[in-house]
């Protein structure tokens, strides 16, 4: 009986609680709609709004950091792509400059070919340089297989380089006109005064045996004369930079600057239809 009474009492209390809760809820709704709860709502909503704003700011900060992290990754990838593209463009720029430089040098050789129509020439690459110890020479990638022979002149668009002194099947050695044992019969372009251009230990050139009364001036061009039979005539050797009497005062000497930069030679022309003349046979005949 006691348990039955307890269950009945609990059910009755629950019904009363629900009715009271319903009445309170209805009352609060009516009070809220009529504005009676406005002061209380403002009082309660202030801390709630503050807490809500805190959460909102925190959420915005997290979202902003996430976005920034994504932007940083994007920027880093973009920078890496740009650096790779820059390296590629720099490589292409270097190649383009080399092509332009080679084109200029080859164009000069072509101009020389067109000007010297009576000369047959063969283009060669410079594959070695030797300016220390013994002779001042360069090596080229043409040899007997290409019809190269000892004594053939070597030139560029700027003038005389030297002559072939050694030949193998696919290479040759050229003695430069700046070598101290080199001697080239020469003459001035303007007044045709003759002399001999020799190389100096410094790598410069000097024209010897010029007549004392010859009007030699700074800037005059010096050409091969063809005398002696070692070189064709009228190839540019260089330009006069200064003139002075020789040590004994019997002749004039002219400092000559070659128009060629021998340190940067890459392409040359070998004059293949010129054979040097050996005049020593006549000297021997005279001696006998």
């Amino acid at each position: 009986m006691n348990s039955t009474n307890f269950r009945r009492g609990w059910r009755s209390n629950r019904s009363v609680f629900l009715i009271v809760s319903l009445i309170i809820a209805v009352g609060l709704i009516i009070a809220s709609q009529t504005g009676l709860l406005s002061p209380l709502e403002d009082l309660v909503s202030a801390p709630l709004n503050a807490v809500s704003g805190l959460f909102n700011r925190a959420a915005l900060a997290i979202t902003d950091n996430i976005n920034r992290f994504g932007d940083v990754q994007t920027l880093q990838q973009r920078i890496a792509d740009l650096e790779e593209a820059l390296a590629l463009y720099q490589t292409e720029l270097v190649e383009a400059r080399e092509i332009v430089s080679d084109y200029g040098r080859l164009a000069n050789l072509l101009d020389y070919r067109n000007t010297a129509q009576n000369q047959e020439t063969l283009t060669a690459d410079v594959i070695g340089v030797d300016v220390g110890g013994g002779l001042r020479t360069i090596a080229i990638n043409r040899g007997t297989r290409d019809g190269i022979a000892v004594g053939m002149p070597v030139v560029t668009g700027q003038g005389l380089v030297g002559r072939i002194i050694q030949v193998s099947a696919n290479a040759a050695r050229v003695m430069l006109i700046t070598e101290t044992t080199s001697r080239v019969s020469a003459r001035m372009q303007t007044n045709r005064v003759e002399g001999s251009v020799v190389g100096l230990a410094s790598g410069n050139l000097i024209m010897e045996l010029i007549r004392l009364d010859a009007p030699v001036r700074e800037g005059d061009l010096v050409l091969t004369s063809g005398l002696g039979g070692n070189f064709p005539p009228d190839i540019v050797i260089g330009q006069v930079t200064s003139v002075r009497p020789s040590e004994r005062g019997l002749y004039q000497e002219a400092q000559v600057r070659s128009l060629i930069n021998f340190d940067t030679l890459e392409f040359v022309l070998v004059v293949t239809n010129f054979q040097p003349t050996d005049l020593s046979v006549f000297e021997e005949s005279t001696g006998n």
Side-chain angles (χ1 to χ4, degrees):
M1 287 293 293
N2 289 334
S3 60
T4 303
N5 292 333
F6 176 78
R7 284 195 297 272
R8 288 177 180 174
W10 182 81
R11 290 174 181 173
S12 175
N13 291 335
R14 187 176 64 177
S15 299
V16 172
F17 178 76
L18 289 173
I19 292 169
V20 171
S21 298
L22 182 60
I23 292 171
I24 292 172
V26 171
L28 289 172
I29 292 170
I30 294 171
S32 176
Q33 288 179 347
T34 57
L36 295 175
L37 293 180
S38 294
L40 182 61
E41 288 175 350
D42 292 339
L43 184 65
V44 174
S45 65
L48 291 178
N49 288 336
V51 173
S52 174
L54 239 133
F55 280 112
N56 286 336
R57 285 192 293 274
L60 288 173
I62 292 172
T63 303
D64 186 51
N65 287 331
I66 292 174
N67 291 335
R68 286 183 179 178
F69 181 72
D71 292 341
V72 169
Q73 286 186 319
T74 302
L75 288 174
Q76 287 176 339
Q77 183 60 44
R78 181 60 177 162
I79 291 171
D81 293 341
L82 290 174
E83 287 177 345
E84 183 179 355
L86 178 61
L88 179 62
Y89 292 148
Q90 286 177 333
T91 302
E92 292 178 351
L93 179 60
V94 170
E95 292 175 353
R97 284 177 175 171
E98 282 297 311
I99 291 172
V100 170
S101 180
D102 289 346
Y103 174 81
R105 286 187 284 267
L106 291 172
N108 286 334
L109 297 183
L110 181 60
D111 288 341
Y112 179 88
R113 277 182 167 178
N114 294 334
T115 303
Q117 296 180 356
N118 60 332
Q119 294 179 0
E120 296 178 6
T121 57
L122 182 67
T123 305
D125 296 337
V126 176
I127 57 175
V129 179
D130 182 11
V131 293
L135 300 175
R136 293 177 182 270
T137 64
I138 59 172
I140 59 175
N141 65 339
R142 300 287 190 176
T144 54
R145 293 177 181 174
D146 307 291
I148 302 301
V150 171
M152 288 182 174
V154 178
V155 299
T156 70
Q158 286 76 40
L160 184 64
V161 174
R163 60 186 177 87
I164 304 291
I165 58 171
Q166 289 180 329
V167 186
S168 67
N170 56 3
R173 178 168 288 187
V174 181
M175 184 174 71
L176 303 178
I177 58 172
T178 55
E179 161 60 31
T180 55
T181 59
S182 171
R183 186 171 293 273
V184 182
S185 297
R187 63 180 168 216
M188 298 292 176
Q189 184 185 45
T190 52
N191 53 28
R192 316 306 280 180
V193 172
E194 296 178 353
S196 181
V197 174
V198 298
L200 301 176
S202 62
N204 296 321
L205 300 170
I206 188 169
M207 185 173 177
E208 300 176 333
L209 305 177
I210 304 172
R211 294 195 327 262
L212 284 174
D213 61 345
V216 181
R217 290 180 293 273
E218 183 178 336
D220 286 346
L221 278 181
V222 180
L223 312 176
T224 56
S225 66
L227 297 177
N230 289 325
F231 294 96
D234 299 326
I235 299 176
V236 175
I237 298 174
Q239 195 170 29
V240 174
T241 58
S242 65
V243 185
R244 68 185 181 189
S246 63
E247 290 183 0
R248 296 185 179 182
L250 300 177
Y251 298 96
Q252 293 185 90
E253 293 179 344
Q255 294 285 336
V256 179
R257 178 182 61 86
S258 174
L259 305 182
I260 299 170
N261 186 345
F262 292 97
D263 295 328
T264 59
L265 273 179
E266 294 186 31
F267 305 103
V268 295
L269 291 173
V270 182
V271 182
T272 56
N273 66 334
F274 177 82
Q275 294 296 327
T277 304
D278 185 7
L279 298 180
S280 61
V281 176
F282 301 105
E283 294 175 1
E284 293 174 2
S285 300
T286 305
N288 292 334

